[in-house]
Amino acid sequence: MKYKKIRSDLQREAESWKPAFQEDLKTEPVTPAKGDEWYLEGTRTRKTKPAFKIAAYVAAVMACFLAVFVSRTQLKQRVDAIVYLDVNPSVSLEVSKDEKVLRAEAHNADGEKILGGMKLKGSDIDVAVNALIGSMFKQGYLSEQQSTVLLSIESGNEQHAETLRKELAEEIDAYLTQLVGGASIYDQSIQEEETLSKLAQQYHITPGKAFLIQRLIDADLGFTYDELAGMNMAELAKFLHQHGHALKEYLNLHGIDLDDIDDLEDLAEELLEPEDDDDSDDDHDSDDDDSDDDRDDDSDDDRDDIDDDDDRPAAPAVQSYKDDDEDEPDEVYEQDDDDEDDEDDDD
């Protein structure tokens, strides 16, 4: 009993000694130790093991390499230029900065036929373009009678677009020269526009051909978009040429020029066409004169031939012999008369 009383007295006395700022300490923020506080003096610090440091360093280096690899991969996968090909098949190739094909797309049914099952992704752009040109040749879209190609390059990098345009134009020209003996390669650089994409989708052509037709319409040549967009490139080039216009006025040209073909055809016609009547009369007169001169020359030649024949012992000798035989009887007859006269005189 006395023990319980003593315990309660001690508990009551301890509660009376409780500091007043106890509640404030519960809400006071804790400041982390920096290592040099007085209450840390004499305590042991835990040392980091060398193996852990090496692993942490290797992990950091690997993270850096991974970041660089991912960034370079993303850079390579980014489209730097688009190559458009129009013959009648219309096809586009998205190209990376290192000129690798990222994606191939057909813009019409003929383009889908040309692409077929070809897997061009990852191949060099020149290899992919040659593969498409070869497919167009095998399926009859390119031949000796129809060998006109439109090459268009779209890129935000003008220098790269210009370099790519020249290289591919020369590559296509050389390849088609081997296949069909020659071709007309028209090429251009274009800039992306929303209106071009809409026109390309509407007429099932590439934005490159849409850009060309828009230039022809803006030149006020008197043609409509529907009229020009429905033609393949060979038909379009010949159509403009027949109306006194030339595609080379709006595009760069590699290979055969239609003007040169016309010059050759005109030259052939001049060589084959008959001459004028006046010229024929003059020629006739001159021919008469020449014929007279020829006759004189021929007569002289005949005389020379006769003289030459006299030297021959064949036919002329026989003829002269016969003449002598015919004259001989007269001479003999006269000789006989003379003899008779002499006899008479003697008598």
Side-chain angles (χ1 to χ4, degrees), residues 130 133-135 137-138 142 144 174-182:
N130 282 342
I133 295 297
S135 181
F137 169 73
K138 289 180 181 179
L142 290 171
E144 293 181 359
Y175 189 40
L176 280 177
T177 299
Q178 295 178 357
L179 292 177
V180 298

Side-chain angles (χ1 to χ4, degrees), residues 86 150 152 188-203 205-231 233 236 240 247 249-251:
D86 287 278
L150 173 62
S152 307
Q188 62 179 348
S189 297
I190 68 172
Q191 295 298 324
E192 182 181 2
E193 296 181 8
E194 185 177 356
T195 55
L196 293 180
S197 300
K198 291 181 179 180
L199 289 171
Q201 293 177 1
Q202 179 181 352
Y203 291 97
I205 56 179
T206 69
K209 189 174 181 180
F211 180 81
L212 168 62
I213 295 176
Q214 188 61 57
R215 290 190 64 185
L216 297 175
I217 298 299
D218 293 341
D220 197 17
L221 302 180
F223 310 122
T224 64
Y225 213 106
D226 293 336
E227 187 176 14
L228 299 179
M231 302 179 184
M233 284 307 301
L236 179 60
L240 293 175
L247 274 180
E249 297 176 3
Y250 306 91
L251 302 166

Side-chain angles (χ1 to χ4, degrees), residues 61 102 127 133 184 196 215 233 235 259 291 310 319 335:
V61 173
L102 302 177
V127 175
I133 295 297
S184 300
L196 293 180
R215 290 190 64 185
M233 284 307 301
E235 294 170 346
D259 290 338
S291 62
D310 292 340
Q319 182 67 31
Q335 183 66 34

